[in-house]
Amino acid sequence: MNDALSVVGQLRDLASEPQNREAIVQDQGCLPGLVLFLDVQDEDVLFAALQTLRYLAEQPRNIPIMSNELGMMVSLENLTERAGLSGEVLSLAKEVHGILSAPVIRTPERERRKKPQFFINATNKKAKSVTLHIQGLDSTDQRGLCEEALLKVKGVISFTFQMATKRCTVRIRADLTTESLASAIAETKVLSAKQVVKNEAGEEILLALKPSGVEVQQNSVLPDYLPEEEEEESPEKDLGRAVSRPAAQQDGSGSWINAAASFLSKNFYW
């Protein structure tokens, strides 16, 4: 299940970027894989798969393709009725089901499906920026707690606060997950975090993050700052952006992208 969580987590990160969403939906292996992820028992995999679908549904023309995908609506409906699920998983399942159930002009998804291409402009950038909405960020005391929590996370480079909107823009290394930030913030016991992203219309939405069960590597010393030319994106330059393009380190084996493509093709494509 660790392999499944890794793959769906990477796919979710890709789907967080609007320019990737249409290609993900059109790829012949991704939606069938996500449908099967919806039937697993592991809640971390379920939540990541639902987050991915929520991102993809932000592009209206993806909705008819997604709702026509074999097994998609049945699996989502089963999730909304499954006993024992956590509130956050159940809530997100109902939200995605509602979006895909809305009246739309439907088109056959197989006619538009392309061969696997894995759609990523894999870059060698070392940093990305994430914007968080932090519930409970009401005073300088809570800000201090949040600062302490973020400074402990290995891979956090810098952060800035917008107290009036309860926002924190965090610059992190490309291989650090947003869930790690949420987990560290949740450790304060008085704060919680959601990710701020933009939909196709440019409107901000809050994406739930699941901090439980996420292993957070801690710093023994304060994090180093990256040179500006190596940044994916600087919060000072664009506070309105929620996330930067997920970066993938390339190696001789073709990076995790090929591994993800192989994993989905072997296990989730019919």
Side-chain angles (χ1 to χ4, degrees):
M1 194 56 67
N2 287 337
D3 287 341
L5 182 58
S6 175
V7 170
V8 75
Q10 296 283 10
L11 194 57
R12 176 201 57 212
D13 290 344
L14 301 176
S16 71
E17 284 296 308
Q19 68 267 25
N20 289 333
R21 292 170 188 165
E22 185 174 359
I24 292 174
V25 168
Q26 291 181 357
D27 188 274
Q28 69 177 3
C30 290
L31 285 184
L34 287 169
V35 169
L36 292 189
F37 283 137
L38 296 177
D39 293 329
V40 302
Q41 297 300 313
D42 188 296
E43 285 208 3
D44 291 332
V45 175
L46 279 176
F47 195 73
L50 288 168
Q51 285 180 309
T52 304
L53 292 172
R54 182 65 182 86
Y55 277 129
L56 297 177
E58 285 300 317
Q59 187 157 321
R61 59 175 170 265
N62 284 346
I63 293 177
I65 304 174
M66 294 169 65
S67 58
N68 278 340
E69 179 62 44
L70 182 64
M72 177 71 75
M73 300 307 294
V74 173
S75 294
L76 286 170
E77 186 172 352
N78 289 341
L79 265 185
T80 64
E81 299 173 354
R82 187 190 298 185
L85 287 178
S86 65
E88 54 192 355
V89 172
L90 184 60
S91 176
L92 188 54
K94 289 180 178 179
E95 181 182 0
V96 173
H97 183 269
I99 292 172
L100 298 188
S101 299
V104 292
I105 301 175
R106 300 183 183 275
T107 57
E109 80 286 354
R110 296 293 179 184
E111 293 180 6
R112 300 187 60 190
R113 195 66 57 78
K114 296 179 180 179
K115 293 293 183 181
Q117 56 183 329
F118 267 78
F119 44 77
I120 302 305
N121 294 323
T123 64
N124 198 31
K125 299 293 185 180
K126 294 185 178 180
K128 61 183 179 181
S129 292
V130 175
T131 298
L132 302 175
H133 177 84
I134 302 176
Q135 189 64 34
L137 191 64
D138 300 317
S139 69
T140 54
D141 290 339
Q142 277 73 35
R143 171 173 173 163
L145 286 175
C146 189
E147 289 175 347
E148 291 178 8
L150 291 174
L151 284 171
K152 291 178 182 178
V153 181
K154 186 175 182 180
V156 169
I157 300 163
S158 67
F159 44 81
T160 58
F161 288 90
Q162 299 87 48
M163 295 294 291
T165 56
K166 299 184 180 181
R167 299 287 173 86
C168 180
T169 302
V170 191
R171 184 157 59 97
I172 60 178
R173 290 194 176 273
D175 56 355
L176 182 65
T177 65
T178 310
E179 283 75 14
S180 295
L181 302 178
S183 185
I185 291 171
E187 286 292 321
T188 65
K189 307 300 183 184
V190 296
L191 302 173
S192 62
K194 292 184 178 181
Q195 187 177 4
V196 182
V197 298
K198 287 188 176 181
N199 61 21
E200 292 297 316
E203 301 168 333
E204 289 186 347
I205 60 172
L206 300 181
L207 183 68
L209 299 169
K210 189 173 184 179
S212 57
V214 177
E215 182 180 354
V216 179
Q217 293 186 329
Q218 295 193 348
N219 282 311
S220 56
V221 295
L222 291 180
D224 295 329
Y225 281 74
L226 291 181
E228 292 300 316
E229 62 270 14
E230 293 183 344
E231 294 177 15
E232 170 81 19
E233 182 177 8
S234 173
E236 292 78 13
K237 294 178 182 177
D238 191 357
L239 292 176
R241 292 291 302 280
V243 290
S244 62
R245 181 177 303 159
Q249 296 292 334
Q250 304 224 23
D251 55 29
S253 63
S255 81
W256 69 266
I257 298 175
N258 291 335
S262 176
F263 185 88
L264 286 173
S265 297
K266 290 178 181 178
N267 296 280
F268 301 117
Y269 178 66
W270 59 81

